[in-house]
Amino acid sequence: MTHNTETMFTHIQKAIQKAGEELGYSEKTITNITHPYNIVEKSVQVDGIDNSVDVYRVQFNNALGPYKGGIRFHPDVDLDEVKTLAITMMLKCSLVDIPLGGAKGGATINPKELNDKQIEAVARAWARTMHEVIGVDQDIPAPDVNTNGQIMSYMLDEYESTVGHSEPGVITGKPLELGGSKGRDKATSQGGVYVLEKVLEYFPEKVGTKKVVIQGFGNVGSFAATLLANKDFTIVGISDSKGAIYSEKGLDVEMIAEKKRSERVSLHELFTSNDAIKKISNEELLIQPCDILIPAALENQITESNADAIHASVILELANNPTSVAADIILKEKDVVVIPDFLANAGGVTVSYFEWVQNRQQYYWKLKDVDDKLFDIMVAATEKTYKMSQKEGLTLREAGFRVAVDRVAKAVALRGIK
Ligand code: GLU
């Protein structure tokens, strides 16, 4: 992974550099937003685990507000990956116009090989190790791949017992009982749906028959599938880490999500192959016929080896960095509308921001208020990005960089770094 994520990090730095220069910012300002402010990288002992565990927090930039970003538990987590995800968080918060900076964290473990007690111990060790650098006005973590409300609860508990006071706003993505926000569980997907519908209004010729393929059926992928299926989209393909299924007529994703939750089985185990449903590999899924492709799993899935074969005319990047640099160039040539991750999946951090606001006010909102406010923010960010792309003849990704860089660079310059 190191090589790819290194390439992606350098690529994002260069894209920010380019946008910053075109916007007329000084080298000093640009350097400030292309390099992390603070890196914590430690190897810690964890109860019940023999080898020490590497834990990370990269605090990329806090010119717009406290650092913000999730924590990933995955065997591929390393410093380059965390840096790449942290710089993306800076862009995301800037683009959707919320008063937060960018950060990311992780622990290099394979949660599939650990039991619940060991995972709890990793969560507590992470929070203890980072307690001095996180805080409600300092840095606010949240879930990411393989972390969830239960893990945020352990971290909150460990943090509060270490610092000796209650501080629910130190972490977001909590269960409702511990101060979570209504709508946070589906926020990334809901935000993505709002963005997708707005983009389809701008590109009516790309709408097609609204057949959707979704890679990944975790929290983000399964919510996206059910939200879209409840509108006028047909979900024709989905996948989990073990394999994919495809049906031209459409899949009953609500039933599948329910079965997966209750029976904890893979998609391939759920179905016997028949004429209506094809069992295929994850790689094959990406190149099946569809109008809209939604990568909602890990990075580097759409690459130069499959970009040419992709049928979709619109790609909604609900995962972080799912498209390689080379693939992005091929998709641009094919005139595919790619909705970049830092716009497409920013609904997650946006509702994290709402959760943080509610924690600070000790006053909790109705789901409708959360959804309405999320809608306003996602649509405004989409509009700004689209208008910039039209004005300057840019792809949505290039335009997103311009809009995001402009806001954070301005904040940095106002602070005297110019
Ligand atoms: N991990 C999510 C992301 O990549 C959410 C971050 C947050 O809520 O702080 O955007």
Side-chain angles (χ1 to χ4, degrees):
M1 267 320 200
T2 309
H3 179 68
N4 284 329
T5 44
E6 179 69 62
T7 307
M8 187 51 87
F9 182 68
T10 318
H11 174 75
I12 296 174
Q13 280 183 313
K14 281 197 201 129
I16 294 177
Q17 175 90 31
K18 186 161 183 274
E21 282 168 5
E22 275 156 2
L23 290 160
Y25 288 100
S26 74
E27 200 49 44
K28 207 167 156 189
T29 304
I30 295 171
T31 303
N32 187 273
I33 58 171
T34 46
H35 294 80
Y37 283 6
N38 189 24
I39 293 175
V40 184
E41 179 184 17
K42 287 194 173 155
S43 226
V44 298
Q45 297 304 317
V46 179
D47 287 345
I49 298 181
D50 288 342
N51 298 330
S52 57
V53 173
D54 293 335
V55 292
Y56 302 90
R57 187 71 177 166
V58 172
Q59 299 180 318
F60 209 88
N61 187 291
N62 66 352
L64 289 168
Y67 299 109
K68 184 86 193 81
I71 304 165
R72 177 173 294 203
F73 285 0
H74 196 278
D76 291 337
V77 165
D78 62 16
L79 185 58
D80 286 316
E81 183 182 85
V82 182
K83 268 164 58 182
T84 309
L85 293 164
I87 198 170
T88 304
M89 284 309 303
M90 173 187 77
L91 294 169
K92 226 181 268 192
C93 294
S94 184
L95 183 64
V96 293
D97 214 356
I98 56 178
L100 294 166
K104 201 78 177 199
T108 316
I109 53 162
N110 187 352
K112 295 195 173 118
E113 288 170 359
L114 301 179
N115 62 36
D116 290 352
K117 272 280 155 227
Q118 290 168 315
I119 290 174
E120 174 179 350
V122 174
R124 290 189 183 277
W126 194 97
R128 240 180 359 260
T129 309
M130 302 298 172
H131 82 272
E132 279 178 348
V133 299
I134 62 173
V136 65
D137 284 314
Q138 211 175 337
D139 182 351
I140 306 117
D144 194 71
V145 172
N146 291 330
T147 56
N148 54 27
Q150 174 62 79
I151 291 172
M152 297 306 108
S153 306
Y154 295 141
M155 288 185 169
L156 175 73
D157 185 66
E158 191 67 27
Y159 175 84
E160 290 185 339
S161 15
T162 309
V163 299
H165 61 257
S166 161
E167 197 177 311
V170 68
I171 198 156
T172 60
K174 302 179 295 290
L176 294 178
E177 293 75 7
L178 292 183
S181 174
K182 294 210 167 83
R184 177 64 184 87
D185 49 1
K186 61 160 182 151
T188 305
S189 317
Q190 184 69 72
V193 171
Y194 292 148
V195 172
L196 176 64
E197 291 193 301
K198 192 73 204 164
V199 168
L200 294 181
E201 273 176 34
Y202 291 134
F203 297 94
E205 75 283 6
K206 304 272 181 194
V207 176
T209 51
K210 292 194 170 179
K211 289 205 164 108
V212 182
V213 161
I214 303 179
Q215 185 201 37
F217 209 65
N219 187 54
V220 175
S222 60
F223 271 115
T226 41
L227 288 169
L228 288 169
N230 286 332
K231 302 205 150 205
D232 54 348
F233 295 83
T234 309
I235 315 300
V236 289
I238 56 174
S239 71
D240 59 21
S241 59
K242 304 261 160 53
I245 53 173
Y246 182 88
S247 162
E248 224 193 303
K249 293 210 174 64
L251 298 159
D252 183 349
V253 286
E254 204 127 16
M255 182 273 284
I256 298 171
E258 183 47 47
K259 277 212 162 158
K260 257 187 90 76
R261 255 192 303 273
S262 56
E263 296 174 27
R264 285 173 151 243
V265 287
S266 70
L267 292 170
H268 277 195
E269 283 163 339
L270 265 183
F271 292 94
T272 46
S273 257
N274 57 41
D275 290 346
I277 293 177
K278 282 198 288 181
K279 282 198 210 178
I280 52 177
S281 70
N282 247 303
E283 294 75 48
E284 287 169 311
L285 178 71
L286 296 174
I287 55 172
Q288 296 303 305
C290 67
D291 305 295
I292 298 151
L293 174 63
I294 306 186
L298 291 169
E299 53 265 46
N300 205 33
Q301 301 298 306
I302 302 172
T303 64
E304 56 189 325
S305 58
N306 60 17
D308 251 333
I310 280 173
H311 287 263
S313 45
V314 176
I315 296 181
L316 179 73
E317 294 186 334
L318 287 187
N320 286 312
N321 302 314
T323 309
S324 78
V325 177
D328 211 32
I329 296 167
I330 298 172
L331 295 171
K332 183 176 174 177
E333 279 163 8
K334 284 176 49 151
D335 208 21
V336 175
V337 174
V338 181
I339 309 173
D341 52 1
F342 57 99
L343 172 62
N345 71 31
V349 73
T350 301
V351 178
S352 273
Y353 161 57
F354 297 160
E355 180 175 338
W356 180 70
V357 170
Q358 293 170 76
N359 292 149
R360 312 200 72 160
Q361 298 177 336
Q362 310 261 26
Y363 180 74
Y364 289 85
W365 309 348
K366 292 186 295 224
L367 179 60
K368 185 173 184 316
D369 294 338
V370 171
D371 281 345
D372 288 350
K373 288 183 167 67
L374 177 64
F375 177 85
D376 290 346
I377 285 187
M378 299 314 292
V379 167
T382 309
E383 259 169 18
K384 254 192 252 170
T385 306
Y386 175 73
K387 282 191 185 141
M388 176 66 84
S389 80
Q390 291 302 102
K391 190 168 140 243
E392 303 290 334
L394 303 171
T395 63
L396 291 181
R397 194 187 311 278
E398 292 158 348
F401 270 106
R402 286 268 185 109
V403 177
V405 166
D406 198 16
R407 178 164 175 253
V408 64
K410 209 170 274 164
V412 163
L414 281 168
R415 287 172 183 274
I417 304 158
K418 56 184 171 198

